[in-house]
Amino acid sequence: MVEELPGVTRDRLELEAEWNGHQFLVVDTGGWIGGGDALDAKVAEQARRAIESADLALVVVDVTVGITTEDEDVAKLVRRSGTPVMLVVNKVDNLAREAEAWEFVSLGLGDPQMVSALHGRGSGDLLDVVVERLGRLTGDLVSGASQEQFRQAEEGASGAISRAGADAVPRVAIIGRPNVGKSTLFNRLAGQERSVVHDVPGTTRDAIDTVLDTEVGQIRFVDTAGMRRRSRSAEGPEYFAMVRALQALDAADVVLLVIDATEGVTHQDQRLAQRIAASGSPIVVVINKWELLATDSRAGVLADLEDRLAFLGESPVLKVSARTGLGAHKIPAALHKAIEAYHRRIPTGELNRALASIQAAHPAPGSRIRYAVQGASDPPTFTLFATHRLPATYLRYVERRLREDFDMGPTPLKLRVRLGG
Ligand code: GDP
């Protein structure tokens, strides 16, 4: 059972496959061409990367041609990568060819697995061996990930879902109602010029995350399998889509909330946004399909959005067209900024200097903050030691100023007050 995924990069075709109940991902490298021009070099580079990130490499050779220098080069490349390998000899249509197939043993890739792709001969046996070897290698059957990533995934599945620490790859969930353009947006981000795409198993069962290398560092998009597949039916009933979205939300450090500009902020969008805000994650809002708006209706749509999502406070709002690419290049930087602020630790000295000027500009009525410390990050949490109670309006003022002074963007902040002295 094979289902075609939209190629996430131009030169690689990926297929989700299932054999005897085992799922794995097949990556077609588009051929390996040594040397030659710039395009060859690019294809070769993609192939090399695919080999390195794979759990098992299948080197396919043609029995009717015999061993070519390319075969030898590929064999060398794969052996050097350290990736487990299987030698597949194709076009073995009869007994005579079967004898000839043994010549390829000299490539040093083990015994030949003989198939005739044309007649389907041996392909069932081949799949049996592939599934068996993958199972032995990983103890599970999701491909495209290193042993280390599997170990991490296992830890994530057995314990609480682990959130990224300050130096781990930040996790982003793309959340929004059906048809707002989440898949289109994700594919746009994955297709951007500089992005390099890796698949990693997600924290929940059968989820696949995607790590993108962006100009601001790596970003991990949570549970992207459905987005890559892009087929409506695969998402299943809406209830399950919702459960998945909530799981993705819990696994994320920051949420990309996608709104459809042509529909504006609906009641359902508001409820989603509230649920996300309650999770404590910073939010970056994307208002998608922007190119469909008539120029004179844009200001109204933005004002309406600010109104209905007022409780999101400082969340940035990016105007984007996932279809044309307009504005999409700003997304990685906005996500990064939000995540950075979320993990931010402000040194006590700096914090107290800022508080002195905050109080100088606007003293608290009948109270004074003597000093403060940041007790925790994710999100940044501050304890203010004050002489007397601080009114809520004053706390909101302090929060706003801290947010501005330390450029904390959409990150939720927590303030606690301790009285004394
Ligand atoms: P999802 O359900 O949120 O993943 O939405 P899809 O990515 O499947 O998009 C739903 C529909 O909106 C598709 O027909 C897309 O082609 C279309 N779409 C997505 N982004 C844009 C956009 O920026 N502009 C326009 N005009 N259409 C878009």
Side-chain angles (χ1 to χ4, degrees):
M1 196 176 91
V2 170
E3 189 181 12
E4 200 165 335
L5 295 172
V8 282
T9 59
R10 271 183 300 275
D11 315 306
R12 258 167 62 178
L13 181 67
E14 303 193 353
L15 298 166
E16 247 179 23
E18 186 177 314
W19 181 252
N20 284 345
H22 299 297
Q23 295 187 333
F24 53 98
L25 195 68
V26 182
V27 181
D28 182 346
T29 59
W32 188 83
I33 312 161
D37 59 22
L39 181 65
D40 286 355
K42 205 173 155 216
V43 173
E45 173 56 21
Q46 292 259 7
R48 196 185 55 72
R49 217 180 283 134
I51 291 167
E52 273 172 11
S53 64
D55 292 303
L56 181 62
L58 304 192
V59 173
V60 183
V61 295
D62 185 339
V63 73
T64 63
V65 194
I67 297 179
T68 64
T69 49
E70 273 99 332
D71 291 339
E72 280 165 350
D73 288 345
V74 172
K76 215 181 292 164
L77 186 78
V78 174
R79 281 201 310 263
R80 228 183 284 140
S81 75
T83 301
V85 61
M86 274 174 66
L87 173 66
V88 180
V89 184
N90 193 20
K91 305 192 189 173
V92 183
D93 301 329
N94 54 47
L95 278 178
R97 293 268 160 81
E98 219 173 288
E100 290 162 24
W102 287 97
E103 145 191 33
F104 290 89
V105 169
S106 68
L107 289 174
L109 302 175
D111 288 355
Q113 190 73 36
M114 302 175 204
V115 297
S116 165
L118 192 61
H119 301 121
R121 180 171 186 254
S123 58
D125 294 349
L126 174 64
L127 283 164
D128 282 342
V129 179
V130 166
V131 159
E132 200 257 320
R133 296 237 358 218
L134 281 175
R136 238 192 296 143
L137 285 166
T138 63
D140 201 335
L141 288 159
V142 186
S143 178
S146 68
Q147 300 289 335
E148 170 65 6
Q149 285 161 338
F150 265 99
R151 199 186 52 68
Q152 286 171 357
E154 268 162 22
E155 279 176 5
S158 61
I161 290 170
S162 59
R163 284 180 175 243
D167 10 270
V169 177
R171 297 162 189 254
V172 175
I174 304 179
I175 308 268
R177 288 184 297 108
N179 286 320
V180 292
K182 297 180 296 296
S183 313
T184 312
L185 183 66
F186 170 74
N187 283 291
R188 165 68 59 184
L189 291 170
Q192 256 166 24
E193 199 49 51
R194 291 200 41 185
S195 61
V196 178
V197 180
H198 320 265
D199 297 319
V200 291
T203 38
T204 53
R205 217 179 152 61
D206 82 355
I208 294 185
D209 294 357
T210 306
V211 177
L212 299 188
D213 287 337
T214 74
E215 73 274 11
V216 290
Q218 291 196 319
I219 296 180
R220 174 174 181 148
F221 287 87
V222 178
D223 195 10
T224 44
M227 296 184 189
R228 301 259 297 269
R229 206 176 289 122
R230 230 197 298 208
S231 102
R232 293 298 109 210
S233 59
E235 253 188 272
E238 195 160 336
Y239 168 76
F240 290 106
M242 199 63 200
V243 169
R244 281 201 93 111
L246 294 181
Q247 284 172 343
L249 178 58
D250 289 336
D253 297 306
V254 59
V255 171
L256 199 60
L257 174 63
V258 185
I259 307 270
D260 186 330
T262 62
E263 296 186 45
V265 178
T266 67
H267 186 61
Q268 224 188 333
D269 290 328
Q270 282 180 306
R271 281 181 40 205
L272 260 181
Q274 270 157 354
R275 172 65 177 77
I276 299 166
S279 79
S281 298
I283 302 180
V284 172
V285 180
V286 160
I287 177 149
N288 189 37
K289 310 191 187 178
W290 187 252
E291 94 286 1
L292 292 180
L293 287 189
T295 318
D296 57 0
S297 61
R298 290 179 179 171
V301 168
L302 280 182
D304 188 55
L305 181 137
E306 253 174 52
D307 242 25
R308 292 180 189 230
L309 296 181
F311 59 93
L312 295 187
E314 304 298 316
S315 295
V317 177
L318 304 178
K319 297 156 227 159
V320 169
S321 168
R323 178 169 284 174
T324 68
L326 170 102
H329 65 283
K330 293 190 178 156
I331 293 175
L335 290 172
H336 225 266
K337 198 171 162 195
I339 295 158
E340 236 173 45
Y342 190 68
H343 296 310
R344 176 84 51 81
R345 282 205 169 266
I346 297 168
T348 307
E350 260 180 66
L351 177 63
N352 284 285
R353 275 194 293 282
L355 271 173
S357 87
I358 289 169
Q359 294 190 90
H362 185 20
S367 179
R368 190 170 61 82
I369 300 169
R370 294 172 54 239
Y371 67 98
V373 294
Q374 180 178 352
S377 67
D378 310 4
T381 304
F382 302 94
T383 307
L384 312 178
F385 294 87
T387 56
H388 299 87
R389 277 178 49 91
L390 296 167
T393 48
Y394 193 76
L395 285 176
R396 278 201 292 278
Y397 160 72
V398 172
E399 182 186 333
R400 183 167 55 74
R401 284 290 310 267
L402 285 177
R403 190 187 293 288
E404 280 168 19
D405 289 6
F406 295 104
D407 198 17
M408 307 252 233
T411 295
L413 300 185
K414 284 189 193 159
L415 299 184
R416 296 196 183 110
V417 182
R418 290 269 160 77
L419 298 184

